Amino acid sequence: MRGSVSKVISFQDEEEFLREMDDAMEAFSYLATRYGNNPIEGVLPWDYIGIRDEEGLRIFRVGEFPYVKGLLKLDLGRIKTLEEYFDEMESKWDELSVEDIKHFADMMNEALGEERVYYEAYDLGLDRNTAYVIVNVANLHYLEGVLEGEDRELFEAAVKILLKYI
């Protein structure tokens, strides 16, 4: 990704971080639809996990499985297997580590007999209360140079959020 930099960032309040990053990503996505350049190319918090179903890859937080399982296009047996492991992880939430989630992902894949569960945070060296962010500095610079009025205000608010964590 030309012009991109990646960084592991830390935060104290995960819910606040996710809310603020959603706001920033929404603003940048809106600006990208108008100007063609999105400065945020990716955000991966430590507790996000992916499951490949019949339609593609679904990404969600470890504690969100009860809400996601109704969306997964998998047979009931696989969903029940996944649900057991996610229930176990949720029961250990306070002491759950990146290593624990990686271990559970490996066990789920073994129980399913195929690789359907993906957990990248371990390989990226994340820890609890961290995230991996990819920022396209060239796109950020471009938008900074062309925006005016309300779009500039929206951009500056989103950049302020980004800088809070970077």
Side-chain angles (χ1 to χ4, degrees), residues 75-85:
D75 64 71
L76 188 57
R78 285 188 173 111
I79 289 177
K80 287 198 175 292
T81 298
L82 293 171
E83 187 173 31
E84 290 173 21
Y85 285 100

Side-chain angles (χ1 to χ4, degrees), residues 8 20 35 45 48 52 56 75 86 89 96 101 106 121 157 160:
V8 174
E20 289 181 336
Y35 301 94
Y48 274 46
R52 182 177 45 83
D75 64 71
F86 279 103
M89 277 193 286
L96 198 63
I101 298 172
D106 291 342
K160 184 177 180 180

